[in-house]
Protein backbone atom coordinates (compact mmCIF):
# COMPACT_ATOMS: atom_id res chain seq x y z
CA UNK A 1 0.00 0.00 0.00
CA UNK A 2 1.42 3.39 -0.95
CA UNK A 3 1.29 6.37 1.38
CA UNK A 4 2.93 9.77 1.09
CA UNK A 5 4.44 11.89 3.82
CA UNK A 6 3.69 15.55 3.07
CA UNK A 7 6.56 17.25 1.16
CA UNK A 8 9.00 19.50 3.03
CA UNK A 9 12.33 20.60 1.70
CA UNK A 10 14.45 21.63 4.72
CA UNK A 11 17.64 19.65 5.42
CA UNK A 12 18.84 18.53 8.83
CA UNK A 13 22.33 17.58 10.00
CA UNK A 14 21.26 14.16 11.29
CA UNK A 15 22.66 11.06 9.67
CA UNK A 16 20.51 7.99 9.19
CA UNK A 17 23.41 5.56 9.25
CA UNK A 18 23.81 3.55 12.44
CA UNK A 19 26.46 0.89 11.80
CA UNK A 20 25.71 -2.45 13.38
CA UNK A 21 28.24 -3.55 16.00
CA UNK A 22 30.82 -5.98 14.68
CA UNK A 23 30.05 -9.41 16.06
CA UNK A 24 33.60 -10.62 16.66
CA UNK A 25 33.01 -13.35 19.30
CA UNK A 26 30.06 -14.56 17.27
CA UNK A 27 32.32 -15.31 14.34
CA UNK A 28 35.25 -16.80 16.23
CA UNK A 29 37.33 -13.63 15.94
CA UNK A 30 36.60 -13.08 12.25
CA UNK A 31 35.33 -9.68 11.26
CA UNK A 32 31.95 -9.70 9.51
CA UNK A 33 33.84 -8.60 6.39
CA UNK A 34 36.20 -11.59 6.53
CA UNK A 35 33.32 -13.94 7.30
CA UNK A 36 31.27 -12.68 4.36
CA UNK A 37 34.25 -12.94 2.01
CA UNK A 38 35.32 -16.45 2.99
CA UNK A 39 32.40 -18.40 4.47
CA UNK A 40 29.01 -16.81 3.70
CA UNK A 41 27.27 -18.95 1.06
CA UNK A 42 30.56 -20.82 0.51
CA UNK A 43 31.59 -23.11 3.33
CA UNK A 44 30.59 -24.14 6.86
CA UNK A 45 32.19 -22.55 9.91
CA UNK A 46 32.28 -24.00 13.40
CA UNK A 47 32.68 -21.42 16.17
CA UNK A 48 33.36 -22.61 19.71
CA UNK A 49 31.94 -20.34 22.43
CA UNK A 50 30.29 -17.88 20.08
CA UNK A 51 27.86 -16.61 22.71
CA UNK A 52 27.57 -16.74 26.48
CA UNK A 53 23.77 -16.42 26.83
CA UNK A 54 21.45 -15.71 28.55
CA UNK A 55 19.50 -18.63 27.13
CA UNK A 56 15.77 -19.18 27.22
CA UNK A 57 14.55 -22.16 29.24
CA UNK A 58 12.66 -25.26 28.20
CA UNK A 59 9.70 -24.08 30.30
CA UNK A 60 9.59 -20.84 28.30
CA UNK A 61 9.68 -22.80 25.04
CA UNK A 62 6.84 -25.09 26.19
CA UNK A 63 4.82 -22.02 27.21
CA UNK A 64 5.21 -20.62 23.67
CA UNK A 65 4.23 -23.98 22.13
CA UNK A 66 0.97 -23.86 24.09
CA UNK A 67 -0.10 -20.60 22.40
CA UNK A 68 -2.25 -20.59 19.27
CA UNK A 69 -0.48 -17.55 17.75
CA UNK A 70 2.89 -19.34 17.74
CA UNK A 71 3.94 -21.84 15.05
CA UNK A 72 5.24 -25.06 16.62
CA UNK A 73 5.94 -28.64 15.48
CA UNK A 74 6.47 -31.84 17.44
CA UNK A 75 8.59 -34.56 15.86
CA UNK A 76 8.66 -38.05 17.34
CA UNK A 77 10.82 -40.90 16.12
CA UNK A 78 9.80 -44.47 16.96
CA UNK A 79 12.32 -46.92 15.52
CA UNK A 80 12.22 -46.16 11.80
CA UNK A 81 8.82 -44.41 11.99
CA UNK A 82 8.50 -40.64 12.18
CA UNK A 83 5.52 -38.61 13.37
CA UNK A 84 4.94 -34.90 12.87
CA UNK A 85 2.23 -32.87 14.61
CA UNK A 86 1.50 -29.16 14.75
CA UNK A 87 0.78 -27.12 17.90
CA UNK A 88 -0.61 -25.73 20.04
CA UNK A 89 -0.64 -28.32 22.86
CA UNK A 90 -1.29 -27.97 26.56
CA UNK A 91 1.78 -27.68 28.74
CA UNK A 92 0.72 -30.87 30.56
CA UNK A 93 0.73 -32.74 27.22
CA UNK A 94 4.13 -31.30 26.35
CA UNK A 95 5.64 -32.32 29.70
CA UNK A 96 4.28 -35.84 29.32
CA UNK A 97 5.38 -36.20 25.67
CA UNK A 98 8.83 -34.91 26.58
CA UNK A 99 9.43 -38.06 28.66
CA UNK A 100 9.84 -40.17 25.50
CA UNK A 101 13.24 -40.46 23.86
CA UNK A 102 13.84 -39.20 20.29
CA UNK A 103 11.30 -36.38 20.56
CA UNK A 104 11.80 -32.85 19.34
CA UNK A 105 9.85 -29.60 19.65
CA UNK A 106 10.53 -26.81 17.13
CA UNK A 107 9.14 -23.31 17.65
CA UNK A 108 9.35 -20.64 14.91
CA UNK A 109 9.75 -16.89 15.32
CA UNK A 110 10.94 -16.91 18.94
CA UNK A 111 12.80 -13.64 18.27
CA UNK A 112 9.45 -11.83 18.22
CA UNK A 113 8.52 -13.25 21.63
CA UNK A 114 11.63 -12.94 23.82
CA UNK A 115 14.02 -9.99 24.00
CA UNK A 116 17.04 -12.22 24.73
CA UNK A 117 16.39 -14.20 21.53
CA UNK A 118 15.77 -11.01 19.55
CA UNK A 119 19.21 -9.85 20.74
CA UNK A 120 20.73 -12.97 19.15
CA UNK A 121 19.10 -12.16 15.79
CA UNK A 122 20.35 -8.56 16.09
CA UNK A 123 23.94 -9.82 16.18
CA UNK A 124 23.47 -10.97 12.58
CA UNK A 125 22.17 -7.67 11.18
CA UNK A 126 25.53 -7.28 9.42
CA UNK A 127 24.03 -9.59 6.79
CA UNK A 128 21.31 -6.98 6.16
CA UNK A 129 17.70 -6.89 7.34
CA UNK A 130 16.34 -7.85 3.91
CA UNK A 131 17.91 -11.29 4.40
CA UNK A 132 17.05 -11.92 8.08
CA UNK A 133 14.21 -14.30 8.72
CA UNK A 134 13.73 -15.50 12.27
CA UNK A 135 15.11 -17.55 15.14
CA UNK A 136 13.62 -21.02 15.48
CA UNK A 137 14.30 -22.67 18.82
CA UNK A 138 14.20 -26.43 19.30
CA UNK A 139 14.30 -28.66 22.32
CA UNK A 140 14.96 -32.40 22.00
CA UNK A 141 15.10 -35.45 24.26
CA UNK A 142 18.07 -37.85 23.90
CA UNK A 143 18.23 -39.13 20.30
CA UNK A 144 15.81 -36.40 19.11
CA UNK A 145 16.17 -34.45 15.88
CA UNK A 146 14.49 -34.04 12.50
CA UNK A 147 16.65 -36.48 10.54
CA UNK A 148 19.19 -35.80 7.78
CA UNK A 149 18.01 -32.99 5.49
CA UNK A 150 19.06 -29.82 3.72
CA UNK A 151 17.72 -26.27 3.81
CA UNK A 152 17.64 -23.78 0.95
CA UNK A 153 18.67 -21.02 3.30
CA UNK A 154 21.77 -20.08 5.23
CA UNK A 155 21.54 -21.04 8.88
CA UNK A 156 23.55 -20.52 12.06
CA UNK A 157 22.92 -23.40 14.48
CA UNK A 158 23.64 -22.07 17.95
CA UNK A 159 23.68 -24.56 20.81
CA UNK A 160 21.96 -22.96 23.80
CA UNK A 161 21.71 -25.77 26.34
CA UNK A 162 22.79 -29.41 26.55
CA UNK A 163 24.68 -31.06 23.71
CA UNK A 164 23.90 -31.95 20.13
CA UNK A 165 25.98 -33.92 17.67
CA UNK A 166 25.96 -32.40 14.20
CA UNK A 167 26.98 -34.39 11.14
CA UNK A 168 27.27 -32.55 7.83
CA UNK A 169 28.04 -33.22 4.17
CA UNK A 170 28.46 -30.96 1.10
CA UNK A 171 25.37 -30.29 -1.05
CA UNK A 172 24.34 -33.56 -2.73
CA UNK A 173 24.40 -33.39 -6.54
CA UNK A 174 21.06 -35.17 -6.85
CA UNK A 175 19.40 -35.35 -3.46
CA UNK A 176 17.19 -38.41 -2.92
CA UNK A 177 14.27 -38.08 -0.54
CA UNK A 178 12.91 -40.68 1.84
CA UNK A 179 9.39 -41.85 0.99
CA UNK A 180 6.61 -42.34 3.49
CA UNK A 181 7.87 -39.88 6.10
CA UNK A 182 6.14 -36.64 7.06
CA UNK A 183 9.45 -34.71 6.95
CA UNK A 184 11.76 -34.05 4.02
CA UNK A 185 14.65 -36.39 4.82
CA UNK A 186 17.63 -37.38 2.72
CA UNK A 187 18.32 -40.98 1.74
CA UNK A 188 21.94 -42.16 1.83
CA UNK A 189 23.29 -39.30 3.96
CA UNK A 190 27.03 -39.83 4.49
CA UNK A 191 28.60 -37.35 6.89
CA UNK A 192 31.96 -35.89 5.96
CA UNK A 193 32.38 -33.96 9.23
CA UNK A 194 30.98 -34.35 12.72
CA UNK A 195 31.14 -32.29 15.91
CA UNK A 196 29.51 -32.25 19.33
CA UNK A 197 28.29 -28.76 20.12
CA UNK A 198 28.32 -27.54 23.73
CA UNK A 199 26.31 -24.57 25.04
CA UNK A 200 27.53 -21.41 23.28
CA UNK A 201 29.02 -23.26 20.26
CA UNK A 202 27.70 -22.43 16.81
CA UNK A 203 27.80 -23.98 13.35
CA UNK A 204 27.22 -21.92 10.19
CA UNK A 205 25.91 -23.82 7.15
CA UNK A 206 25.50 -22.37 3.65
CA UNK A 207 22.34 -23.28 1.70
CA UNK A 208 22.15 -26.85 0.42
CA UNK A 209 24.56 -28.47 2.89
CA UNK A 210 23.18 -31.74 4.22
CA UNK A 211 23.00 -31.88 8.00
CA UNK A 212 21.78 -34.10 10.79
CA UNK A 213 21.58 -33.02 14.41
CA UNK A 214 20.99 -35.50 17.22
CA UNK A 215 20.38 -34.51 20.82
CA UNK A 216 22.72 -36.14 23.33
CA UNK A 217 20.77 -35.33 26.50
CA UNK A 218 17.43 -34.05 27.74
CA UNK A 219 18.59 -30.45 28.10
CA UNK A 220 19.39 -30.00 24.39
CA UNK A 221 18.16 -26.66 23.03
CA UNK A 222 19.28 -25.22 19.68
CA UNK A 223 18.65 -21.77 18.21
CA UNK A 224 18.50 -21.74 14.37
CA UNK A 225 19.17 -18.24 13.11
CA UNK A 226 17.54 -18.40 9.71
CA UNK A 227 17.81 -16.20 6.63
CA UNK A 228 15.51 -15.79 3.70
CA UNK A 229 16.31 -15.66 0.02
CA UNK A 230 13.43 -15.02 -2.34
CA UNK A 231 12.93 -17.52 -5.12
CA UNK A 232 12.89 -15.79 -8.52
CA UNK A 233 9.47 -16.98 -9.75
CA UNK A 234 7.64 -16.40 -6.49
CA UNK A 235 9.19 -12.96 -6.11
CA UNK A 236 8.38 -12.00 -9.71
CA UNK A 237 4.79 -13.08 -9.20
CA UNK A 238 4.40 -11.11 -5.98
CA UNK A 239 6.06 -7.98 -7.40
CA UNK A 240 3.97 -8.07 -10.59
CA UNK A 241 0.76 -8.68 -8.66
CA UNK A 242 1.44 -5.72 -6.40
CA UNK A 243 2.24 -3.50 -9.40
CA UNK A 244 -0.82 -4.67 -11.29
CA UNK A 245 -2.96 -3.92 -8.23
CA UNK A 246 -1.61 -0.38 -7.87
CA UNK A 247 -1.86 0.54 -11.54
CA UNK A 248 -5.24 -1.05 -12.26
CA UNK A 249 -7.14 2.19 -12.85
CA UNK A 250 -4.58 3.60 -15.32
CA UNK A 251 -4.12 0.33 -17.21
CA UNK A 252 -5.15 0.19 -20.90
CA UNK A 253 -7.85 -2.18 -22.21
CA UNK A 254 -7.21 -4.39 -25.23
CA UNK A 255 -8.70 -3.06 -28.48
CA UNK A 256 -8.88 -4.68 -31.93
CA UNK A 257 -10.33 -2.11 -34.28
CA UNK A 258 -9.79 -3.22 -37.88
CA UNK A 259 -9.86 -6.92 -37.03
CA UNK A 260 -11.03 -9.15 -39.90
CA UNK A 261 -13.79 -11.77 -39.44
CA UNK A 262 -12.39 -14.97 -37.90
CA UNK A 263 -12.20 -17.96 -40.25
CA UNK A 264 -10.98 -20.13 -37.32
CA UNK A 265 -13.00 -18.80 -34.38
CA UNK A 266 -11.03 -20.78 -31.78
CA UNK A 267 -7.62 -19.48 -32.86
CA UNK A 268 -5.91 -17.11 -30.45
CA UNK A 269 -5.35 -13.71 -32.09
CA UNK A 270 -1.63 -12.88 -32.47
CA UNK A 271 -2.43 -9.26 -31.55
CA UNK A 272 -3.77 -10.46 -28.19
CA UNK A 273 -0.60 -12.48 -27.59
CA UNK A 274 1.51 -9.38 -28.33
CA UNK A 275 -0.75 -7.30 -26.06
CA UNK A 276 -0.07 -9.72 -23.19
CA UNK A 277 3.70 -9.77 -23.82
CA UNK A 278 3.81 -5.99 -23.99
CA UNK A 279 1.73 -5.62 -20.81
CA UNK A 280 4.06 -7.92 -18.83
CA UNK A 281 7.17 -6.25 -20.28
CA UNK A 282 5.90 -2.80 -19.34
CA UNK A 283 5.36 -3.84 -15.75
CA UNK A 284 8.78 -5.48 -15.54
CA UNK A 285 10.56 -2.51 -17.13
CA UNK A 286 9.08 0.03 -14.75
CA UNK A 287 12.11 -0.12 -12.46
CA UNK A 288 10.79 2.37 -9.92
CA UNK A 289 7.56 0.42 -9.55
CA UNK A 290 9.47 -2.88 -9.23
CA UNK A 291 11.61 -1.40 -6.42
CA UNK A 292 8.52 -0.09 -4.67
CA UNK A 293 6.73 -3.42 -4.90
CA UNK A 294 9.89 -5.26 -3.77
CA UNK A 295 10.18 -3.13 -0.62
CA UNK A 296 6.52 -3.69 0.19
CA UNK A 297 6.84 -7.40 -0.44
CA UNK A 298 9.95 -7.85 1.72
CA UNK A 299 8.50 -5.89 4.65
CA UNK A 300 5.21 -7.77 4.66
CA UNK A 301 4.96 -9.17 8.21
CA UNK A 302 5.22 -12.94 8.62
CA UNK A 303 1.88 -14.80 8.50
CA UNK A 304 0.11 -14.99 11.89
CA UNK A 305 1.78 -11.77 13.04
CA UNK A 306 -0.56 -9.67 15.09
CA UNK A 307 0.13 -6.16 16.38
CA UNK A 308 -1.73 -4.92 19.44
CA UNK A 309 -2.55 -1.22 19.12
CA UNK A 310 -0.94 0.70 21.98
CA UNK A 311 -3.41 1.56 24.73
CA UNK A 312 -1.05 3.75 26.73
CA UNK A 313 -0.74 7.46 26.17
CA UNK A 314 2.48 8.22 24.30
CA UNK A 315 3.84 11.75 24.28
CA UNK A 316 6.76 11.84 21.87
CA UNK A 317 9.04 9.75 24.13
CA UNK A 318 11.60 7.27 22.82
CA UNK A 319 10.26 4.49 20.58
CA UNK A 320 11.43 1.07 19.50
CA UNK A 321 10.47 -0.87 16.40
CA UNK A 322 8.31 -3.84 17.47
CA UNK A 323 10.28 -7.08 17.11
CA UNK A 324 7.83 -8.40 14.49
CA UNK A 325 7.82 -5.17 12.45
CA UNK A 326 9.83 -5.28 9.24
CA UNK A 327 11.52 -2.08 8.12
CA UNK A 328 13.68 -1.36 5.06
CA UNK A 329 14.44 1.66 2.90
CA UNK A 330 15.99 2.56 -0.45
CA UNK A 331 17.06 5.92 -1.90
CA UNK A 332 13.51 7.21 -2.24
CA UNK A 333 11.26 5.16 -0.07
CA UNK A 334 10.77 3.95 3.49
CA UNK A 335 9.04 0.58 3.85
CA UNK A 336 7.31 -0.64 6.98
CA UNK A 337 5.13 -3.74 7.30
CA UNK A 338 4.18 -3.80 3.62
CA UNK A 339 3.53 -0.06 3.31
CA UNK A 340 5.73 2.45 1.49
CA UNK A 341 6.38 6.11 2.18
CA UNK A 342 8.23 8.46 -0.18
CA UNK A 343 10.95 10.17 1.86
CA UNK A 344 11.41 13.90 1.40
CA UNK A 345 14.25 16.22 2.40
CA UNK A 346 14.73 16.40 6.13
CA UNK A 347 12.44 13.43 6.87
CA UNK A 348 14.75 10.91 5.20
CA UNK A 349 17.64 10.76 7.71
CA UNK A 350 15.24 10.30 10.63
CA UNK A 351 13.40 7.48 8.93
CA UNK A 352 16.70 5.87 7.97
CA UNK A 353 17.88 6.21 11.56
CA UNK A 354 14.66 4.63 12.82
CA UNK A 355 15.20 1.71 10.43
CA UNK A 356 18.89 1.18 11.20
CA UNK A 357 18.74 1.66 14.98
CA UNK A 358 15.28 0.13 15.16
CA UNK A 359 14.64 2.91 17.67
CA UNK A 360 14.50 6.66 18.10
CA UNK A 361 15.75 8.03 21.44
CA UNK A 362 14.32 10.89 23.45
CA UNK A 363 16.75 13.36 21.84
CA UNK A 364 15.92 12.01 18.37
CA UNK A 365 12.23 12.53 19.03
CA UNK A 366 12.95 16.15 20.00
CA UNK A 367 14.75 16.70 16.70
CA UNK A 368 12.49 14.87 14.23
CA UNK A 369 10.48 16.77 11.63
CA UNK A 370 6.75 17.27 12.12
CA UNK A 371 6.09 14.72 9.35
CA UNK A 372 8.16 12.05 11.03
CA UNK A 373 6.61 12.78 14.44
CA UNK A 374 3.18 12.36 12.94
CA UNK A 375 4.11 9.12 11.18
CA UNK A 376 5.72 7.74 14.36
CA UNK A 377 2.55 8.59 16.28
CA UNK A 378 0.44 6.66 13.77
CA UNK A 379 2.79 3.64 13.84
CA UNK A 380 2.80 3.63 17.67
CA UNK A 381 -1.02 3.67 17.63
CA UNK A 382 -0.97 0.63 15.29
CA UNK A 383 1.48 -1.21 17.53
CA UNK A 384 4.19 -1.26 14.83
CA UNK A 385 6.43 0.85 17.06
CA UNK A 386 6.32 0.65 20.83
CA UNK A 387 7.17 3.19 23.53
CA UNK A 388 10.78 2.36 24.36
CA UNK A 389 10.08 1.25 27.91
CA UNK A 390 7.32 -1.18 26.84
CA UNK A 391 7.80 -4.85 25.99
CA UNK A 392 7.40 -5.94 22.38
C1 LIG B 1 16.77 -28.60 14.97
O1 LIG B 1 17.00 -27.62 15.68
O2 LIG B 1 16.48 -29.71 15.43
C2 LIG B 1 16.84 -28.52 13.47
C3 LIG B 1 17.52 -27.31 12.95
C4 LIG B 1 17.92 -27.49 11.50
O3 LIG B 1 18.36 -28.53 11.12
O4 LIG B 1 17.82 -26.57 10.70
CO1 LIG C 1 18.14 -27.71 8.88
Amino acid sequence: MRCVLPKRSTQSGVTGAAPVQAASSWLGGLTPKAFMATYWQQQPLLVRQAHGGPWMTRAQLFALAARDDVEARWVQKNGTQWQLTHGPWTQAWLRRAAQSPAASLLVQGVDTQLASVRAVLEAFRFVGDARLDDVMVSWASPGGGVGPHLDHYDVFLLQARGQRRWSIAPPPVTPRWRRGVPLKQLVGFQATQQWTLQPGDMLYLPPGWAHHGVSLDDACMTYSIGFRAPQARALALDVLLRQADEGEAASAWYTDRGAVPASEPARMPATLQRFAQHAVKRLAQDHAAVSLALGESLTEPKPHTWFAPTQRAWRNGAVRVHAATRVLYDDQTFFINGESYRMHGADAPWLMRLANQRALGVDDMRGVTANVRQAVKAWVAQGWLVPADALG
Side-chain angles (χ1 to χ4, degrees), residues 363-376:
D363 288 345
D364 293 334
M365 284 310 299
R366 285 199 193 106
V368 294
T369 61
N371 282 338
V372 170
R373 186 170 300 119
Q374 211 179 348
V376 165

Side-chain angles (χ1 to χ4, degrees), residues 104-106 136-140 144-147 149 151 155 157 164 166 205 211-213 221-224:
S104 193
L105 169 69
L106 304 110
M136 177 185 84
V137 180
S138 71
W139 167 85
V146 297
H149 67 282
D151 300 310
V155 66
L157 299 156
R164 189 186 282 272
W166 282 106
L205 289 178
H211 53 289
H212 185 198
M221 286 179 68
T222 307
Y223 291 10
S224 296

Side-chain angles (χ1 to χ4, degrees), residues 256-260:
D256 55 0
R257 185 186 297 183
V260 295

Side-chain angles (χ1 to χ4, degrees), residues 49-366:
Q49 293 309 296
H51 186 51
W55 308 110
M56 72 180 296
T57 63
R58 187 183 92 156
Q60 284 176 308
L61 194 69
F62 281 14
L64 289 178
R67 281 175 35 182
D68 57 12
D69 59 341
V70 172
E71 196 187 328
R73 289 167 292 160
W74 187 270
V75 176
Q76 178 69 60
K77 185 178 180 224
N78 294 309
T80 57
Q81 304 294 308
W82 292 80
Q83 246 181 359
L84 168 71
T85 49
H86 293 268
W89 309 272
T90 64
Q91 295 207 48
W93 184 90
L94 285 161
R95 281 194 295 271
R96 214 172 33 251
Q99 305 294 318
S100 16
S104 193
L105 169 69
L106 304 110
V107 180
Q108 264 347 112
V110 181
D111 52 294
T112 64
Q113 305 296 334
L114 286 181
S116 69
V117 179
R118 173 74 207 177
V120 168
L121 188 65
E122 299 261 336
F124 296 88
R125 289 189 68 204
F126 66 87
V127 178
D129 293 352
R131 294 282 268 115
L132 286 189
D133 189 7
D134 73 342
V135 180
M136 177 185 84
V137 180
S138 71
W139 167 85
S141 62
V146 297
H149 67 282
L150 56 81
D151 300 310
H152 292 289
Y153 309 104
D154 305 84
V155 66
F156 289 89
L157 299 156
L158 173 63
Q159 193 62 23
R161 295 175 184 274
Q163 301 180 77
R164 189 186 282 272
R165 193 183 61 240
W166 282 106
S167 310
I168 68 165
V173 184
T174 41
R176 284 182 302 122
W177 302 107
R178 226 183 122 181
R179 287 166 197 268
V181 282
L183 297 147
K184 215 157 178 212
Q185 292 178 338
L186 286 164
V187 177
F189 171 72
Q190 294 270 337
T192 54
Q193 278 170 296
Q194 201 170 65
W195 304 274
T196 297
L197 269 67
Q198 308 286 344
D201 294 348
M202 186 175 74
L203 174 62
Y204 163 71
L205 289 178
W209 278 70
H211 53 289
H212 185 198
V214 179
S215 162
L216 300 184
D217 51 44
D218 65 3
C220 177
M221 286 179 68
T222 307
Y223 291 10
S224 296
I225 299 111
F227 293 80
R228 56 187 178 141
Q231 206 178 10
R233 275 179 80 91
L235 183 67
L237 194 67
D238 189 35
V239 163
L240 291 177
L241 275 174
R242 283 168 190 274
Q243 272 177 270
D245 233 25
E246 282 296 324
E248 198 186 343
S251 154
W253 296 86
Y254 174 66
T255 57
D256 55 0
R257 185 186 297 183
V260 295
S263 55
E264 298 169 72
R267 180 176 285 281
M268 178 73 80
T271 48
L272 190 46
Q273 287 172 327
R274 280 196 295 277
F275 179 80
Q277 289 155 9
H278 189 67
V280 174
K281 211 184 290 171
R282 273 188 60 159
L283 283 183
Q285 282 174 348
D286 185 345
H287 294 179
V290 168
S291 297
L292 207 61
L294 174 68
E296 291 177 358
S297 172
L298 291 184
T299 54
E300 204 58 73
K302 264 177 165 322
H304 311 301
T305 305
W306 186 76
F307 295 98
T310 304
Q311 303 297 330
R312 305 169 27 195
W314 172 79
R315 291 188 188 81
N316 298 332
V319 286
R320 282 188 298 107
V321 175
H322 187 286
T325 289
R326 286 181 160 160
V327 188
L328 293 169
Y329 63 83
D330 63 22
D331 286 346
Q332 283 83 36
T333 313
F334 177 81
F335 304 100
I336 179 165
N337 288 343
E339 290 192 357
S340 53
Y341 296 81
R342 283 279 171 210
M343 299 192 292
H344 299 292
D347 300 336
W350 293 110
L351 293 171
M352 288 156 63
R353 176 175 281 218
L354 173 65
N356 286 321
Q357 293 183 166
R358 289 185 68 86
L360 286 175
V362 180
D363 288 345
D364 293 334
M365 284 310 299
R366 285 199 193 106

